[in-house]
């Protein structure tokens, strides 16, 4: 369920638990609501954003559990002034949904970055996210950096 005007959903939107969880996650990020965002994720969830080594996860092992996910928020989400999610396609089946799109982030200094990516959400039987894997290239995203 989308509850933020900073999400443009130009993709299939049939009801699906993993798709709904992804939308709740995006909405919480856009509102800057850490506690709501954590409630979307299972206690033992793993976030890989991006998959592989990065500035957020030098060893590329992912962020395991709410404590690590909270630290990821502080490092990767909290410093951003605004997020805009543009979802251009969404494929849902079984307990998984893959969303294709672009996240535009605006920093507090006015700088903007566009990150093209694929985000894969897997939910557990309680419809909480057990795994989120975001496939994107940090260098490619940072190459889009621009000042207004």
């Amino acid at each position: 369920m989308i509850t933020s005007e900073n999400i443009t959903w130009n993709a299939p939107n049939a009801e699906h638990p993993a798709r709904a969880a992804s939308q709740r996650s995006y909405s919480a990020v856009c509102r800057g609501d850490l506690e709501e965002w954590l409630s979307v994720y299972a206690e033992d969830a793993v976030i890989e954003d991006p998959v592989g080594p990065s500035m957020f996860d030098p060893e590329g092992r992912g962020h395991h559990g709410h404590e690590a996910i909270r630290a990821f928020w502080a490092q990767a989400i909290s410093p951003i002034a605004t997020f805009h999610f543009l979802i251009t396609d969404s494929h849902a089946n079984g307990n998984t949904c893959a969303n294709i799109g672009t996240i535009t982030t605006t920093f507090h200094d006015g700088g903007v970055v566009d990150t093209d990516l694929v985000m894969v959400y897997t939910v557990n039987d309680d419809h909480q996210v057990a795994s989120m894997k975001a496939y994107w290239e940090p260098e490619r995203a940072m190459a889009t950096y621009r000042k207004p």
Side-chain angles (χ1 to χ4, degrees):
M1 174 168 81
I2 297 171
T3 60
S4 172
E5 62 187 36
N6 284 3
I7 301 169
T8 304
W9 195 273
N10 295 335
N13 200 22
E15 223 174 285
H16 186 277
R19 181 176 288 133
S22 74
Q23 292 172 340
R24 287 193 316 271
S25 176
Y26 303 155
S27 294
V29 166
C30 288
R31 286 193 313 276
D33 190 335
L34 170 60
E35 296 309 317
E36 175 65 23
W37 187 66
L38 284 173
S39 77
V40 175
Y41 289 85
E43 288 289 333
D44 60 348
V46 178
I47 292 180
E48 297 176 70
D49 186 357
V51 171
S54 73
M55 61 284 224
F56 305 125
D57 181 13
E59 295 180 7
R61 295 185 180 161
H63 310 276
H64 298 257
H66 276 199
E67 184 177 333
I69 292 170
R70 185 180 295 274
F72 172 75
W73 175 284
Q75 184 182 21
I77 297 173
S78 183
I80 304 300
T82 62
F83 286 86
H84 183 267
F85 290 80
L86 169 62
I87 305 301
T88 57
D89 212 349
S90 180
H91 304 273
N93 192 38
N95 65 343
T96 301
C97 178
N99 296 326
I100 301 167
T102 302
I103 300 173
T104 300
T105 52
T106 303
F107 296 88
H108 290 283
D109 69 357
V112 177
V113 170
D114 296 316
T115 303
D116 295 325
L117 72 170
V118 177
M119 298 161 282
V120 180
Y121 290 80
T122 303
V123 295
N124 61 21
D125 291 339
D126 295 324
H127 298 170
Q128 286 186 300
V129 176
S131 169
M132 194 286 282
K133 294 183 179 187
Y135 296 87
W136 59 279
E137 300 172 39
E139 295 80 16
R140 182 172 157 185
M142 292 311 296
T144 72
Y145 179 83
R146 62 204 178 276
K147 287 275 195 162

